[in-house]
Amino acid sequence: MQWARAMAAELDEAPSAKAACGFALGCLGLALRLRLSALLPSSSGRGARSKAGALANLSGRLRLQHLRHATAPRLGAACACLAVLAGGVFMVSAGAPKAWPWMNGVSLAFALASLALLPRQRLQTDARLRERLSLLLGSLLLASCALEASEGLNGRWLRLGPVTVQAVWLLVPSLLLLSARPAGATDCSHAHRSHLGVLLAMAALWAQAEPSWLLLMGLVLLARSACRPHHRAETLLACLALLAAGLSSQNWRMPTRQAFVDQVLLQAWSQGSSLVLSGLMLAALLMIVLPAWRHRHAREHSLLWAGVVLLSLPGFLPTPLLGMGGSAILGYVLSLAALPGPGLHAPSRAQPQAAQQAPPARRERHRGPRHRLRPR
Amino acid sequence: MTRTRAPSQQALAVLLVLADAGEEWRHGYDIATQADIKSGTLYPLLMRLEAQGQLQAVWQESPTPGRPPRHAYRLTEAGRAWLAGMGEALEQARARRHAAQTQPSWAGTAASSTRSS
């Protein structure tokens, strides 16, 4: 703290704003490095003073074992970082405008900061809050129809100062996941709010001629209704979404292909890029759906983004995370906060204590077989 | 027991600025400008040198009203003795600094030979 104050006091002495900005950026970089080394307990001490030592410790901390035990949002955030990094490597090596990888990086940093600041636990556990937010996001999406359509571009673009974001990418993934009722939630009295939010979103997507998103919405709702057969409303919503997808496809036009935005995997392959780079891109695309591998409650998230990835291959949608586009990065990372919580599965009466003691990820994976194998 | 490593070029540049200042106190921004290193490189050096006891730091009230107190630094006796023991390395650093100050760059300013990456 003393050193931070010392650095801050020097800013007043800089002769120009540019010099002060350069000095402050150097101090900020130092503060981030110190914070990172403080977060990694094993990197304290003499070894951490060298860059090689710090990097070795960092790689040690990022072993697969740690990723296995990470929560779904953390795992998803790590996957997003790796995917954006891979996309940046491709852009740099394939000659994209220099600013584009940086813009993706800034979007990722903003998204991660937002994810860190959001009250994730409350979002996961508070069913009423989730329903209200679903309704709010649905209303916002409908309101975005009032924005002027950009010529040659699909969807509506929202200008936030120097940044332009696509409302659909930002809102639909989070809305869809927020509309999922957490397992174990018993109070269904306000479920109509989230259903209404989904309906509003469907209307907005239909008005904006987004059949791809309607199709994805329908598929996710269909999968959800298949898991919960007694939730008839979701089956109905799924049918409506698929119907709206069919109808809106009549007004839909294939977007003009843009390099480093659409069909990025195909571009990596066809540009004669090295096999390693193409493999890296494919691995990064697969990484987007990794959270479901470890966490059952992230299945809908992965299903949705797997659908986005699939539709991006023929160019119906831009390639998320790997291609240029901050909206997709924000949409992916922010939707991680909308995952239903894993701890909400109601423990069975036979083993309430065992269920409470076991870690959430293991509890949800091994509940059935353990119960059967345990001697009575 | 703290092991003292051979100082880097940036550390030598900072030490040189402090050695030239003698008993006078110097501030962070001035040291960074004179040693031609960035703030992100300077402060870890200052922190390490202070922890090793080769540097002392004090808070000084700013003469300009309304401005916060500034951290000022100077070499301790131990620091001066350590620096005196370096001999040739210090002279080389001094020569590099002198060359950097006298060699004009295309922009007309002093070229940097000790700038950190």
Side-chain angles (χ1 to χ4, degrees), chain A residues 1-3 5-10 12-16 19-20 22-27 29-30 33-34 46 49-51, chain B residues 1-3 5 27-30 32 39-44 46-48 50 55 57 59 62 67-71 73 117:
Chain A
M1 193 55 127
Q2 166 186 307
W3 288 99
R5 279 209 310 272
M7 292 178 215
E10 293 304 305
D12 287 332
E13 305 303 321
S16 67
F23 192 86
L25 279 175
C27 295
L30 171 64
R33 285 208 305 272
L34 291 175
R46 201 179 300 148
R49 286 180 188 156
S50 69
K51 286 180 184 174
Chain B
M1 183 181 155
T2 310
R3 186 170 66 94
R5 294 183 301 174
H27 298 111
Y29 187 78
D30 305 330
S39 53
T41 311
L42 171 70
Y43 281 96
L46 293 178
M47 288 175 200
R48 197 167 69 213
E50 196 208 15
L55 192 77
W59 286 100
S62 174
R67 287 195 176 172
R70 297 176 75 186
H71 221 201
Y73 316 92
S117 59

Side-chain angles (χ1 to χ4, degrees), chain B residues 95-114:
Chain B
R96 270 197 302 272
R97 185 178 164 202
H98 182 69
Q101 282 172 346
T102 52
Q103 182 185 358
S105 69
W106 62 271
T109 55
S112 157
S113 62
T114 55

Side-chain angles (χ1 to χ4, degrees), chain B residues 12 14 22 28 33 35 38 51 57 63 65-66 70 72-73 76-77 80 88 90-92 94 98 108:
Chain B
L12 278 174
V14 170
T33 313
K38 291 178 179 171
R70 297 176 75 186
Y73 316 92
T76 58
E77 287 301 324
R80 282 200 198 91
E88 196 178 341
L90 197 66
E91 285 311 310
Q92 283 175 359
R94 202 182 291 277
H98 182 69

Side-chain angles (χ1 to χ4, degrees), chain A residues 263-327:
Chain A
Q263 293 181 289
V264 171
L265 191 63
L266 191 67
Q267 192 185 348
W269 207 266
S270 62
Q271 270 194 344
S273 307
S274 68
L275 198 63
V276 176
L277 191 60
S278 304
L280 178 73
M281 299 298 279
L282 185 61
L285 269 184
L286 293 175
M287 212 173 280
I288 292 174
V289 297
L290 196 61
W293 174 55
R294 294 300 303 171
H295 303 277
R296 281 183 64 178
H297 64 282
R299 277 185 309 185
E300 279 192 11
H301 182 272
S302 293
L303 179 66
L304 174 67
W305 286 98
V308 173
V309 166
L310 205 63
L311 290 176
S312 74
L313 295 178
F316 296 143
L317 288 173
T319 310
L321 280 80
L322 297 183
M324 163 62 188
S327 306

Side-chain angles (χ1 to χ4, degrees), chain A residues 68-69 121 124-125 183-184 294-297 341-349 351-372 374:
Chain A
R68 278 181 192 163
H69 297 292
Q121 198 171 3
Q124 288 183 341
T125 53
R294 294 300 303 171
H295 303 277
R296 281 183 64 178
H297 64 282
L344 294 176
H345 296 278
S348 64
R349 286 181 187 177
Q351 43 172 332
Q353 285 182 346
Q356 282 169 6
Q357 286 165 4
R362 291 176 184 277
R363 188 193 326 163
E364 60 189 7
R365 279 193 290 123
H366 298 298
R367 194 189 306 147
R370 266 189 193 170
H371 185 65
R372 282 198 298 275
R374 187 166 289 176

